[in-house]
Amino acid sequence: MAQWTSAVGSAQLARQLSAQQSRPAGPGTRKPPAYRALADGIRLLVLEGRVPVAARLPAERELALSLAVSRTTVAAAYEELRTEGFLESRRGAGSWTAVPAGNPLPARGLEPLPPESLGSMIDLGCAALPAPEPWLTRSVRGALEELPPYAHTHGDYPAGLPVLRQTIADRYTARGIPTMPEQIMVTTGAMGAMDAICHLFAGRGERIAVESPSYANILQLMREAGARLVPVAMGEGLAGWDITRWRQVLRDAAPRLAYVVADFHNPTGALADEDQRRRLVDAARSAGTVLVVDETMTELCLDAELEMPRPVCAFDAAGSTVITVGSASKAFWAGMRIGWVRAAPDVIRSLVAARAYADLGTPVLEQLGVNWLMRTGGWEEAVAIRRAQAREHRDALVAAVRRELPHWEFEVPQGGMTLWVRAGGLSGSRLAEVGERVGVRVPSGPRFGVDGAFEGYVRLPFTVAGPVADEAAARLAAAARLVETGASTGTEPPRTFVA
């Protein structure tokens, strides 16, 4: 019986491998033999989770044709992977990916490290900060005081607590977007919102247009829902969207959904201006595409002089084109798993009806906590703390990276939580692999693209400051030196770092 649970086509694997080699090699890099370079490329794809464990690889002859190399090269690469424990084979069943005994399974997204690992590893994988106390504690106390009436009910509120739906609707109205509570559904985080939207609008095989790059966890959610992702390239640097490209993709591909992050885009930090927002809504309406706008970074404006543009939904007067997703995770705390959807009432009713077969509703206590914050002014106080933290972290990380890695290129965003960095011609996948061994965890660019794009990039979140930011940049520089010299084994274990 075959031991593989999925399969990777030769054309797909060739595209992913080609993207790894599209960036120029760093100075002093030794060029390995062709079979070793191929084995190294496949190993990196497995370690990054971009080729699943237990995925059947193409036959040697088939992959050789797609890569335009000899079958002997592919056979030697497969043999090296078998020796290392990254490949298993059986006559008649083919070869499938594996991980050596003792190695952790690769993450498919950007899961945070367990707390016990933080003493020796600096985690730049997750763009989240600790809770802005004392407001978390105060919100929980406020929620407990308001809990008794709800304890006498069944506790299931598929659309969310009426008081929180009203509060969120009032906040949109205050932003100049008249909103009724019937246009709001409370969800378990923004991921819960996106999962519900994808299942309602984009069944298996449907096209979804996405920014390229885009948020890795959302891309993975869409892939696992069976969607066909259609990438639309972002403008250079912090320029935001290329509306001409968007119009062409929406017209030619006719995707059912389009997913965008207009406010401090994850990962680039770009902020779309009002003209881009208006034109994108017009293009989506003309194509019959539902435009899903992720506002989780909206409140993280870090430069006081910046005047924020109006929300994207402000340009959808009829309310038939734009669905907005919001969350407490970035502006307040990731542990407060409260998100929401703003859409036309009929869309909200459909989402609520479909929810009966998913999670039934979001925890009551957390909803009461967010409602308490928003009703008492605690939300604004907590967000002010979060902005100050993120601003301090951004400035410290920027200074440290510029000092330790002066050849790396990036633009400093005016808000959000992430720095999108071109790594001086080095492979982002290799930096991520080596970084784990020198004590810094960083996600590589291909996690944020489709089919292996952005191999020359890494994403750095604003989650460390002071001596920790300095140490993180020093460890990244150490990883870069190892990648430049072609070293792949024998690195020193990371030393414990105490902030």
Side-chain angles (χ1 to χ4, degrees), residues 58 60 69 86 152 183 185 198 224 243 271 327 334 362 377 391 400 412 469 487:
E60 294 171 3
V69 300
F86 284 94
H152 295 290
Q183 292 176 262
M185 180 176 83
C198 287
E224 293 184 357
I243 300 300
L271 176 66
S327 171
T362 301
R391 186 182 305 113
V412 181

Side-chain angles (χ1 to χ4, degrees), residues 13 16-17 19-21 32 36-53 57 81 84 86 97-99 103 106-108 426-437 442 444 446-447 452 455 483 487-488:
L13 185 57
Q16 291 178 292
L17 290 166
Q20 287 183 341
Q21 300 165 5
R36 190 169 296 162
L38 176 55
D40 185 37
I42 295 173
R43 185 194 315 108
L44 281 171
L45 292 174
V46 174
L47 288 171
E48 285 240 306
R50 290 185 284 127
V51 167
V53 175
L57 294 185
L81 290 168
E84 296 174 346
F86 284 94
T97 57
V99 291
N103 278 40
R108 298 302 300 275
L426 301 179
S427 161
S429 297
R430 287 168 172 79
L431 283 167
E433 181 197 15
V434 176
E436 291 269 357
R437 296 201 300 274
V442 57
S444 67
R447 288 186 178 273
E455 182 59 51
V483 172
S488 60

Side-chain angles (χ1 to χ4, degrees), residues 384-407:
I385 294 172
R386 173 64 75 238
R387 286 174 179 154
Q389 288 176 323
R391 186 182 305 113
E392 176 190 0
H393 287 52
R394 177 195 65 182
D395 295 347
L397 187 63
V398 165
V401 173
R402 282 178 171 164
R403 182 178 62 252
E404 297 287 344
L405 294 151
H407 300 301

Side-chain angles (χ1 to χ4, degrees), residues 193-194 196-198 200-202 206-210 222 246 250 254-260 280-294 312 316 319-325 341-344 346-348 351:
M194 286 303 305
I197 292 167
C198 287
L200 179 63
F201 285 95
E206 290 276 6
R207 294 185 181 93
I208 302 179
V210 296
M222 292 173 177
W246 271 102
L250 295 179
R256 185 72 179 91
L257 285 180
Y259 169 77
V260 298
L280 184 60
V281 172
D282 289 345
R285 184 184 298 116
S286 298
T289 298
V290 175
L291 184 62
V292 182
V293 180
D294 186 334
V312 177
D316 180 31
S320 59
T321 299
V322 176
I323 296 177
T324 303
V325 172
V341 178
R342 181 198 181 274
D346 61 320
V347 172
I348 295 297
L351 288 169

Side-chain angles (χ1 to χ4, degrees), residues 20-313:
Q20 287 183 341
Q21 300 165 5
S22 62
R23 301 293 301 167
T29 301
R30 297 190 301 269
K31 185 176 181 180
Y35 79 90
R36 190 169 296 162
L38 176 55
D40 185 37
I42 295 173
R43 185 194 315 108
L44 281 171
L45 292 174
V46 174
L47 288 171
E48 285 240 306
R50 290 185 284 127
V51 167
V53 175
R56 187 178 186 272
L57 294 185
E60 294 171 3
R61 188 186 303 276
E62 183 182 357
L63 183 58
L65 287 172
S66 293
L67 294 174
V69 300
S70 70
R71 182 179 176 181
T72 302
T73 296
V74 177
Y78 278 14
E79 181 58 34
E80 178 155 314
L81 290 168
R82 277 190 288 268
T83 301
E84 296 174 346
F86 284 94
L87 196 68
E88 296 182 9
S89 303
R90 181 182 299 172
R91 186 178 297 277
S95 299
W96 56 92
T97 57
V99 291
N103 278 40
L105 287 174
R108 298 302 300 275
L110 300 178
E111 297 84 355
L113 283 173
E116 60 269 20
S117 300
L118 297 179
S120 60
M121 184 73 69
I122 298 177
D123 186 9
L124 297 181
C126 185
L129 288 167
E133 288 288 27
W135 293 105
L136 174 61
T137 299
R138 292 178 181 177
S139 70
V140 173
R141 288 173 178 163
L144 287 172
E145 291 176 0
E146 298 175 7
L147 181 62
Y150 296 94
H152 295 290
T153 73
H154 51 61
D156 287 334
Y157 295 86
L161 294 183
V163 292
L164 182 55
R165 296 175 74 195
Q166 182 68 62
T167 297
I168 295 171
D170 290 346
R171 292 180 67 84
Y172 276 105
T173 300
R175 294 170 66 191
I177 316 296
T179 303
M180 305 178 294
E182 292 80 9
Q183 292 176 262
I184 301 296
M185 180 176 83
V186 181
T187 62
T188 307
M191 292 293 289
M194 286 303 305
D195 184 61
I197 292 167
C198 287
H199 279 89
L200 179 63
F201 285 95
R204 186 164 292 276
E206 290 276 6
R207 294 185 181 93
I208 302 179
V210 296
E211 297 149 325
S212 182
S214 187
Y215 178 40
N217 285 340
I218 293 294
L219 295 180
Q220 190 59 33
L221 182 154
M222 292 173 177
R223 291 186 188 103
E224 293 184 357
R228 297 163 61 190
L229 302 185
V230 183
V232 186
M234 295 284 290
E236 284 296 319
L238 299 178
W241 299 329
D242 184 328
I243 300 300
T244 300
R245 289 175 179 168
W246 271 102
R247 284 193 180 279
Q248 181 180 354
V249 168
L250 295 179
R251 182 184 66 243
D252 296 346
R256 185 72 179 91
L257 285 180
Y259 169 77
V260 298
V261 185
D263 300 319
F264 311 120
H265 174 260
N266 187 355
T268 68
L271 176 66
D273 62 33
E274 289 205 359
D275 182 60
Q276 290 173 324
R277 295 167 191 241
R278 180 184 297 106
R279 292 166 62 199
L280 184 60
V281 172
D282 289 345
R285 184 184 298 116
S286 298
T289 298
V290 175
L291 184 62
V292 182
V293 180
D294 186 334
E295 285 193 336
T296 55
M297 297 284 188
T298 295
E299 300 204 57
L300 293 178
C301 176
L302 305 185
D303 293 348
E305 69 278 6
L306 177 63
E307 182 176 349
M308 289 293 292
R310 285 177 291 170
V312 177
C313 57

